[in-house]
Amino acid sequence: MKKVQVLMSTYNGGTNIVKQVNTILDQKGVNVYLTIRDDGSEHSTLLILKKLDEKYQNVEIHYGKNIGYRKSFLSLLNMVKKDIDYCAFSDQDDIWKENKLVEAVKILDENDNKNKLYISSLDIYNEKGLFLDKHDISRVPNNIYSLFSRNRFAGCTFVFSKELALLSNEYANLEMLYYEAPDHDFFLAAIGYCFGFVYLDHNSYIEHIRYENSVTSGGNGIFKRLKVEYKIVFFMRNTRLNFAKTILVHEKDRRKLKPEVSDYFKIVVNYKKSLYSKLKLIRLINCGSVLCNIESIIKVMIGNF
């Protein structure tokens, strides 16, 4: 059986962490190794993590300072084991179906590209266990243009090769991430599109729990949605531009970009300087959502892309 290292970042998750850990360790058809990095939780959560560490041999806990979930997840790429086949990101409070990992592994095993990434849909539940919605990615175009228009993928669905994890870690260590940086799921998916293979599965193998204080908005009402969308348009500045610029600068030192990605990144880095590049960038915006496409066009027009 293939060995999968699950990378989880925790922060004041309490007993919800135990439920999620149990569903990870109960995965069928794969050997699981769980690596947890705690992002500076309070004492009660630390006690729970300590008990998990003592109970399971295939669970490893790292206690860190609070650096935020973006950097916490990316720092987990530094902890990837040499003897594993695949990695997976995990939130601290979801419920995984027992075949979540093996279904992804079956698909990834069929592709010869070393840098490969599997992404799936997910089912959204509230904290009382009631179904809210399915986050269905079946209509999301599978290309770099869609991802840059708007990231509609959830990192907790990601399963990816060890090689993609190590390659992503190389770029993460370049310190390309600014204060208003892209999330870890955008980052890893972008590296996948740059240098590898990305598979989108419309099926769901996760019960994703949405809390009132969740960072993302899905299932939390129109007011929370509007607040998040406003922040994305007007406060998340230059995340795509900075990413594209960094990849292009270091391309010769590392890996050869796919030609279509290289051409697209050149458009992105020049869109503020050239009206032609700006119009071409707008024409390439398409993430499968009319609202998100409009927001991306606004970001281009005001120089926040």
Side-chain angles (χ1 to χ4, degrees):
M1 291 190 293
K2 295 297 174 70
K3 186 172 183 179
V4 182
Q5 182 179 2
V6 178
L7 307 173
M8 177 191 291
S9 177
T10 59
Y11 180 70
N12 291 339
T15 56
N16 290 323
I17 297 173
V18 179
K19 297 178 184 178
Q20 169 69 320
V21 167
N22 288 336
T23 66
I24 291 172
L25 299 182
D26 287 341
Q27 291 293 296
K28 305 298 184 183
V30 293
N31 290 322
V32 175
Y33 188 92
L34 175 59
T35 300
I36 298 175
R37 182 196 179 274
D38 185 74
D39 193 36
S41 292
E42 296 174 355
H43 184 64
S44 58
T45 294
L46 296 181
L47 288 177
I48 291 171
L49 292 174
K50 185 178 180 181
K51 290 180 180 178
L52 289 171
D53 197 11
E54 294 171 348
K55 183 176 180 180
Y56 299 108
Q57 291 185 341
N58 56 338
V59 175
E60 177 184 11
I61 315 289
H62 297 265
Y63 302 94
K65 296 180 180 179
N66 182 257
I67 56 177
Y69 74 93
R70 294 187 182 99
K71 290 187 177 181
S72 184
F73 270 109
L74 288 175
S75 67
L76 280 161
L77 296 174
N78 282 311
M79 305 173 194
V80 171
K81 305 291 182 182
K82 293 182 179 180
D83 62 340
I84 58 103
D85 300 294
Y86 294 106
C87 298
F89 283 138
S90 170
D91 289 346
Q92 66 180 1
D93 47 20
D94 294 336
I95 302 298
W96 285 11
K97 296 180 181 179
E98 64 180 14
N99 61 336
K100 177 195 184 301
L101 293 179
V102 72
E103 294 299 328
V105 167
K106 288 177 184 177
I107 291 171
L108 293 174
D109 274 349
E110 294 176 354
N111 190 275
D112 293 331
N113 197 309
K114 291 184 178 180
N115 302 306
K116 43 193 174 181
L117 168 65
Y118 165 95
I119 305 171
S120 78
S121 300
L122 52 77
D123 295 321
I124 302 174
Y125 288 74
N126 66 16
E127 51 194 297
K128 296 180 181 179
L130 298 176
F131 176 78
L132 298 176
D133 192 16
K134 179 178 181 180
H135 180 69
D136 189 352
I137 63 171
S138 60
R139 295 185 179 181
V140 179
N142 190 8
N143 55 53
I144 189 72
Y145 319 120
S146 173
L147 180 70
F148 265 55
S149 299
R150 176 65 172 267
N151 176 27
R152 300 181 66 196
F153 303 139
C156 57
T157 71
F158 285 18
V159 182
F160 45 99
S161 63
K162 175 179 65 177
E163 290 80 5
L164 181 60
L166 296 175
L167 178 59
S168 299
N169 190 45
E170 287 185 32
Y171 285 96
N173 287 332
L174 293 175
E175 297 183 356
M176 71 166 64
L177 300 182
Y178 294 75
Y179 173 72
E180 291 163 334
D183 290 347
H184 62 287
D185 40 20
F186 171 90
F187 180 85
L188 196 91
I191 297 296
Y193 281 118
C194 285
F195 304 104
F197 164 79
V198 179
Y199 183 92
L200 304 186
D201 187 353
H202 73 277
N203 293 303
S204 170
Y205 302 99
I206 297 183
E207 294 181 9
H208 180 64
I209 313 301
R210 188 76 72 183
Y211 294 90
E212 290 186 1
N213 60 349
S214 294
V215 176
T216 48
S217 61
N220 272 344
I222 187 65
F223 179 76
K224 178 69 179 288
R225 177 67 185 268
L226 290 174
K227 185 177 180 180
V228 170
E229 299 303 323
Y230 182 83
K231 180 180 178 181
I232 288 173
V233 173
F234 295 103
F235 291 94
M236 298 296 290
R237 301 185 181 96
N238 300 325
T239 54
R240 276 55 175 163
L241 174 63
N242 290 334
F243 183 94
K245 186 182 297 183
T246 303
I247 297 294
L248 286 175
V249 167
H250 293 277
E251 177 186 1
K252 294 180 181 179
D253 300 332
R254 283 170 165 72
R255 305 289 190 277
K256 186 68 176 177
L257 276 173
K258 295 177 181 178
E260 66 274 18
V261 175
S262 180
D263 292 341
Y264 176 65
F265 279 4
K266 290 172 184 176
I267 294 172
V268 173
V269 299
N270 288 309
Y271 88 94
K272 290 186 180 183
K273 306 173 186 176
S274 163
L275 178 61
Y276 174 77
S277 294
K278 179 175 290 187
L279 294 175
K280 199 166 185 179
L281 179 58
I282 290 174
R283 288 185 60 187
L284 291 170
I285 288 175
N286 179 22
C287 68
S289 165
V290 174
L291 175 61
C292 293
N293 289 343
I294 292 173
E295 291 179 350
S296 293
I297 292 172
I298 294 174
K299 284 180 71 67
V300 173
M301 296 303 295
I302 65 177
N304 278 358
F305 199 78

